[in-house]
Amino acid sequence: MKNKILNRLKLISGPAALFMCLSLFSLKLEASTKKDTIVNSFKLKTVIIDPGHGAKAEGSPPGHYSRGADGSFSSERNVTLALGLKLQKAIEKDINGVKAVLTRSTADDVSWERRAQIANENKGQLFISLHCNSLADRVVRERVGTKRGKAVYKSVRVPDRSGKGVLMLIYGLHRSREEENAIKNNQVEEDSEMNGAALDPDDPVVIILTNEYKRKFRKQSVNIANFINDELVQNDGRRTEGLREQGLYVLCHAAMPSVLVETGYINNPEEEEYLNSEEGQNDIVNSIVRAIKSYKSQIEGVTTN
């Protein structure tokens, strides 16, 4: 088991981390002054597409559900499903050797828990969750009359339609423990060919391998988020709110690099029209496909140590 884990650690982390791990078993590794060229054997084969939200069907299994935001004539859950179906087709058509798996393909909602489970069961290597943003109503004070010579005001809620642009979200570090557990259950277990009960969480090898996966996935999550953001801004001319951390369940429970893409503000009339148009949806899908191609080239590249 340890030999398999050590080999896996070498693949994901390189010689430096492997040396740290081997030292725990009192093994000596001779230093080499010669640079080694490593041909990365990793291939991106499975992308998970997660169309956010949905309509909760009667008799749905227990779990967390959310119907999503609404615009003046459309709903987030319908926009994300349309984008997800188009993105699946585009990935499998335009990116050779990559399969795209949807967490939902109908109007019915899928719980947060089940979405992460689908991603892990299908051995996803990249998780992309599609959403639409929305701003809450603003509360303003409005003059409604006069009483005894003094103005009378009341608080009213008015729609805030000022939001515009895309936003990339990655999991918040305050939920690192949950991500570690997901990695142990779905990555380390597979590497060890043992079930969860057989893994010793205090085993130094398990700890190092889990931390290396976490470090790698964090870096790759940032990379794919930046690739998507750059494509949407530079090729589609979209405004961006950049990249942020957020404590989202599906991002930290999917044991793989993950990003949530807020594709636009559905309660902004201009953006809602764009998000529902054929042109707008094709722009978004094509930008994400180009970003995945760039990401795939990066992680499958050749490195020199």
Side-chain angles (χ1 to χ4, degrees):
M1 184 267 280
K2 283 179 178 174
N3 285 338
K4 183 174 178 64
I5 291 183
L6 289 172
N7 288 335
R8 186 62 175 165
L9 181 62
K10 184 176 181 180
L11 284 176
I12 68 169
S13 307
L18 181 62
F19 177 82
M20 290 171 57
C21 192
L22 289 173
S23 66
L24 293 169
F25 303 107
S26 299
L27 298 178
K28 294 181 180 179
L29 189 67
E30 292 184 2
S32 174
T33 57
K34 182 180 179 181
K35 289 188 175 182
D36 297 318
T37 298
I38 301 173
V39 179
N40 192 351
S41 63
F42 176 85
K43 299 296 179 185
L44 180 65
K45 296 179 180 179
T46 307
V47 175
I48 308 298
I49 303 167
D50 176 48
H53 307 287
K56 186 179 179 183
E58 186 176 350
S60 296
H64 292 85
Y65 296 84
S66 173
R67 68 186 303 276
D70 294 307
S72 62
F73 66 86
S74 65
S75 299
E76 177 182 9
R77 57 190 178 275
N78 294 330
V79 171
T80 59
L81 181 58
L83 287 170
L85 291 169
K86 288 182 177 181
L87 182 57
Q88 181 189 42
K89 289 181 181 179
I91 288 173
E92 295 188 343
K93 175 179 177 291
D94 297 335
I95 308 179
N96 187 42
V98 176
K99 176 177 70 173
V101 177
L102 287 163
T103 59
R104 73 176 179 103
S105 57
T106 70
D108 291 346
D109 199 3
V110 176
S111 71
W112 304 347
E113 293 85 351
R114 180 58 185 151
R115 291 170 189 266
Q117 188 179 25
I118 290 170
N120 294 324
E121 284 176 351
N122 283 276
K123 303 187 186 304
Q125 297 158 306
L126 178 62
F127 183 90
I128 298 176
S129 190
L130 301 170
H131 288 255
C132 300
N133 223 333
S134 181
L135 291 178
D137 292 346
R138 293 184 295 114
V139 177
V140 300
R141 287 178 58 77
E142 182 179 85
R143 183 171 179 169
V144 294
T146 304
K147 185 176 183 180
R148 296 175 183 175
K150 295 183 178 180
V152 177
Y153 295 86
K154 71 173 182 179
S155 295
V156 296
R157 301 180 70 88
V158 296
D160 185 352
R161 309 193 190 283
S162 63
K164 189 174 184 178
V166 298
L167 172 66
M168 307 297 127
L169 299 176
I170 60 173
Y171 85 94
L173 289 174
H174 64 286
R175 299 191 74 163
S176 289
R177 181 64 65 183
E178 292 167 79
E179 196 204 18
E180 289 174 8
N181 290 335
I183 288 171
K184 286 177 183 176
N185 294 334
N186 296 284
Q187 295 286 350
V188 180
E189 268 188 29
E190 181 182 345
D191 290 341
S192 65
E193 295 181 338
M194 288 182 155
N195 57 42
L199 286 176
D200 178 3
D202 297 321
D203 187 326
V205 179
V206 172
I207 293 171
I208 289 177
L209 185 57
T210 300
N211 286 335
E212 284 302 313
Y213 269 120
K214 185 171 71 171
R215 179 192 63 80
K216 197 79 163 181
F217 290 167
R218 177 74 173 185
K219 179 180 178 181
Q220 292 175 346
S221 296
V222 171
N223 287 349
I224 185 61
N226 283 327
F227 279 131
I228 295 174
N229 184 75
D230 290 348
E231 288 291 343
L232 290 168
V233 172
Q234 295 171 13
N235 287 286
D236 299 340
R238 304 292 303 283
R239 176 185 172 190
T240 180
E241 296 182 341
L243 187 156
R244 299 179 192 169
E245 292 182 357
Q246 199 165 108
L248 300 170
Y249 184 97
V250 291
L251 296 186
C252 63
H253 284 258
M256 63 200 71
S258 307
V259 61
L260 186 148
V261 183
E262 296 281 10
T263 56
Y265 281 84
I266 198 167
N267 70 334
N268 175 314
E270 180 184 346
E271 295 234 312
E272 184 180 14
E273 290 283 354
Y274 181 79
L275 291 169
N276 282 274
S277 70
E278 194 73 15
E279 178 186 2
Q281 291 183 2
N282 287 338
D283 284 348
I284 293 167
V285 166
N286 291 336
S287 285
I288 294 175
V289 169
R290 288 192 299 268
I292 295 173
K293 287 181 177 178
S294 297
Y295 173 81
K296 184 175 185 290
S297 296
Q298 182 190 70
I299 61 175
E300 293 181 358
V302 176
T303 59
T304 301
N305 293 316

